[in-house]
Amino acid sequence: MTEITFPVSSADAIVNFYRTEILTGQEAKHFSKSDLTPVPKPETVQTLYMRVLHILYRFRPECHSMVPLLENIHYPQYHEGATAITSVYIRMLHFLPTCLVYDFSLNDLLAPKKQRTLTILSAIMNFFYFRKQRMELILEKQAKYRADLDRLQAYTKSNLEMEKKIEMLMVIPPEQQAEAKELDSALSELNTIYTQEYQEMKSSLLLQCAKKDSIAEGKAIFAEKTQKLAQVKVDISTLKEDIGKLKSQIVESPEELKSQMEKMRENVKNIKLSIEESDERVVELQNMVQSVTYTEAEIQQMYNLLQDLEISMNNSKQRQKEQLELTAQYERKQKELKNLCAEEGQLKRALAMKLDKESKQNIRRQKRKDMKEQHVQEVLGQCNQIHQKREEMAEIQEITAETQQLKAKIQSLRDVCSKETERAQALYDTLSTSIDELHRRIQ
């Protein structure tokens, strides 16, 4: 936390922010500056972290103290306080790197310090400000996008309506379709007559060319035919004029047509302008959609990283469970070893008591023998001493055998305990290395 990239706020600003934005009800009323300065209270700091996690991840504060249901946990009510603190610690370890705080420790929950808690709380406050700003921007973009979609739909509907109107104006009404068909048939008949006469004229010209004698007569006939053709052309032109008049009569008056065409042109211009505007807006929306897809890809990457972290945390939890089991086994072995040591002490005491009793009995026997056989004691004293020594040696051998067996049992138990401690140390080393790797990956 030597290089801080966010502003550290004062205690009053932090108290006002957390009372208005994070805490609710009685917690907000009772929260004051004295809870953070001069010495922060661990209970208030833990409640603040729990409320932050509830707002961000929807993880309720009462869920932190829920003990997992395992077969090997005896008396789970004793684990509730520790599970709540460890749960808050693990989830804050996941969350605080997003606030640019990478050195969160368990002492920040159990024995928080003033400056460190103020920096952590100001980092969380900075993250909430950034989150609020980004959410407002996203909501504005969503509102613009929806408004543009509505406008585009309205423009498409107006375009379809105008196209339908154009089709209606371009189509001849059914009342005048019969007259148009009659005019078309009359024109086709005139064209056929014209072609027949032209072919006849061609044939006559060929005959005139063949007959050199009747050239003059052919020229006269040709002149007559040309006159007839001229008359036919005049008739055709008159018929075309009649057709144009009839076509003008088919639709409404020409002035109305002109006004309608001008209106249609203006509508087409407006439609073109709206289409251009909608195209520009569509380009902007496409850019926005691309940015949204990019953010979705980043969110997916973050989700994958969170899944990897969750998997690694599950592995670490399993290893912690194994470590707890091994520590429990180690404690059991230590208890057994203590019991064996106590039994060894009891056996030694019993052996000493036996030796004392035997010595007393020997002294009594000696006194009796001295009183009864003073003279015989001198002769048989050495034999009795040898016999006593043999008995003592046999008893000592038995005691030494028992002590050797006890020592062998103790040595085997110590070997098992040392193996279990080595295994627990190896598991603890692997757990510490995996947690360090997790912290490196998070950074």
Side-chain angles (χ1 to χ4, degrees):
M1 203 175 278
T2 56
E3 295 180 358
I4 298 170
T5 58
F6 52 86
V8 179
S9 301
S10 61
D12 294 325
I14 290 167
V15 168
N16 290 324
F17 174 77
Y18 281 91
R19 285 181 73 178
T20 55
E21 298 292 333
I22 305 299
L23 298 173
T24 57
Q26 294 295 324
E27 291 180 353
K29 288 181 181 178
H30 295 298
F31 182 63
S32 62
K33 187 179 176 181
S34 62
D35 294 328
L36 298 177
T37 56
V39 178
K41 294 179 181 179
E43 294 83 5
T44 57
V45 173
Q46 290 170 14
T47 53
L48 286 174
Y49 292 157
M50 286 179 184
R51 292 298 176 190
V52 167
L53 293 170
H54 182 232
I55 290 167
L56 291 173
Y57 300 108
R58 302 297 178 191
F59 195 84
R60 296 191 301 276
E62 61 267 17
C63 294
H64 291 286
S65 60
M66 293 175 72
V67 180
L69 297 171
L70 295 173
E71 295 178 355
N72 295 323
I73 289 177
H74 298 288
Y75 306 107
Q77 59 269 18
Y78 296 147
H79 297 269
E80 288 180 355
T83 50
I85 293 165
T86 52
S87 177
V88 173
Y89 171 65
I90 290 164
R91 281 160 181 80
M92 290 299 289
L93 276 178
H94 291 172
F95 164 63
L96 284 175
T98 58
C99 301
L100 303 176
V101 176
Y102 301 100
D103 55 352
F104 186 72
S105 63
L106 197 60
N107 288 322
D108 296 328
L109 287 171
L110 298 174
K113 296 179 182 178
K114 177 186 172 183
Q115 191 62 35
R116 189 167 176 78
T117 51
L118 289 175
T119 51
I120 292 166
L121 291 173
S122 59
I124 294 166
M125 187 169 71
N126 188 17
F127 175 75
F128 269 96
Y129 283 136
F130 175 75
R131 178 173 174 267
K132 187 177 180 181
Q133 185 181 5
R134 290 295 165 188
M135 285 176 75
E136 287 176 355
L137 287 171
I138 288 164
L139 289 171
E140 287 178 359
K141 287 181 180 180
Q142 284 180 355
K144 287 181 182 178
Y145 181 69
R146 286 172 183 170
D148 292 328
L149 282 175
D150 294 332
R151 286 176 64 191
L152 193 135
Q153 288 177 359
Y155 287 146
T156 51
K157 284 181 181 178
S158 62
N159 286 326
L160 290 170
E161 288 175 357
M162 295 304 291
E163 286 177 357
K164 287 178 181 179
K165 286 180 181 179
I166 290 163
E167 287 178 357
M168 289 290 290
L169 290 169
M170 292 296 289
V171 173
I172 299 166
E175 294 86 8
Q176 297 175 358
Q177 282 181 1
E179 294 179 359
K181 285 179 181 178
E182 288 177 358
L183 289 168
D184 290 330
S185 63
L187 281 169
S188 63
E189 286 176 359
L190 285 170
N191 285 319
T192 53
I193 291 163
Y194 177 75
T195 53
Q196 286 176 3
E197 288 178 355
Y198 184 70
Q199 286 176 1
E200 287 176 358
M201 187 176 66
K202 270 188 175 181
S203 63
S204 64
L205 284 169
L206 289 170
L207 290 169
Q208 285 173 5
C209 290
K211 295 177 180 180
K212 292 179 181 180
D213 294 335
S214 60
I215 290 169
E217 291 177 357
K219 284 180 180 180
I221 293 164
F222 185 72
E224 289 176 0
K225 295 290 183 182
T226 51
Q227 287 177 1
K228 287 179 180 179
L229 283 170
Q231 283 181 355
V232 169
K233 285 180 180 179
V234 170
D235 294 331
I236 288 164
S237 63
T238 54
L239 286 168
K240 283 182 178 179
E241 288 177 358
D242 294 331
I243 288 163
K245 289 178 182 179
L246 289 168
K247 281 184 178 179
S248 65
Q249 290 176 0
I250 288 166
V251 193
E252 296 174 356
S253 64
E255 293 177 356
E256 291 179 356
L257 271 173
K258 284 180 182 179
S259 64
Q260 285 180 0
M261 289 300 287
E262 287 177 356
K263 287 179 182 178
M264 291 295 289
R265 284 172 186 169
E266 289 177 357
N267 289 324
V268 168
K269 285 180 182 178
N270 293 321
I271 288 162
K272 284 181 180 178
L273 291 170
S274 64
I275 287 164
E276 289 177 357
E277 290 177 357
S278 63
D279 290 332
E280 291 175 357
R281 194 61 191 167
V282 164
V283 171
E284 291 178 358
L285 289 170
Q286 285 178 356
N287 294 323
M288 289 169 71
V289 168
Q290 286 178 0
S291 65
V292 169
T293 52
Y294 181 71
T295 53
E296 284 179 355
E298 289 181 352
I299 288 163
Q300 188 66 33
Q301 289 178 359
M302 291 295 291
Y303 181 71
N304 293 324
L305 288 170
L306 287 170
Q307 283 182 347
D308 295 331
L309 285 170
E310 189 175 359
I311 291 163
S312 60
M313 287 301 296
N314 290 323
N315 292 325
S316 65
K317 283 180 181 178
Q318 289 179 358
R319 289 175 182 174
Q320 284 177 357
K321 289 173 185 176
E322 291 178 356
Q323 187 181 2
L324 290 170
E325 290 176 356
L326 289 170
T327 52
Q329 289 180 1
Y330 179 69
E331 288 176 356
R332 288 173 188 170
K333 297 291 182 183
Q334 281 184 346
K335 287 179 181 178
E336 290 178 357
L337 195 142
K338 286 179 181 179
N339 292 322
L340 289 170
C341 291
E343 287 178 357
E344 186 180 3
Q346 288 176 359
L347 289 169
K348 284 181 180 179
R349 288 172 186 172
L351 194 143
M353 291 291 287
K354 284 181 181 179
L355 290 170
D356 290 332
K357 286 178 181 179
E358 287 176 356
S359 64
K360 286 177 181 179
Q361 287 176 2
N362 290 324
I363 289 164
R364 287 173 183 174
R365 285 173 185 174
Q366 278 182 354
K367 284 181 179 180
R368 287 174 183 176
K369 285 177 183 178
D370 288 332
M371 289 172 71
K372 289 180 182 179
E373 296 178 355
Q374 291 178 356
H375 299 286
V376 178
Q377 190 178 1
E378 293 178 357
V379 178
L380 298 173
Q382 295 178 355
C383 295
N384 290 323
Q385 287 178 359
I386 291 163
H387 184 70
Q388 287 174 0
K389 284 181 181 179
R390 284 178 182 177
E391 287 178 354
E392 287 176 357
M393 287 296 292
E395 289 176 355
I396 289 163
Q397 285 177 359
E398 288 177 359
I399 292 161
T400 52
E402 289 178 356
T403 52
Q404 284 178 359
Q405 288 178 358
L406 288 169
K407 285 179 181 179
K409 285 182 181 179
I410 291 161
Q411 188 64 33
S412 64
L413 289 169
R414 283 177 181 172
D415 292 331
V416 171
C417 291
S418 62
K419 287 180 183 179
E420 294 293 331
T421 51
E422 288 176 357
R423 188 178 174 188
Q425 188 65 34
L427 284 169
Y428 180 75
D429 293 332
T430 52
L431 281 168
S432 62
T433 52
S434 64
I435 289 164
D436 292 330
E437 287 177 359
L438 279 170
H439 286 299
R440 290 173 186 171
R441 287 178 69 187
I442 291 164
Q443 291 176 359

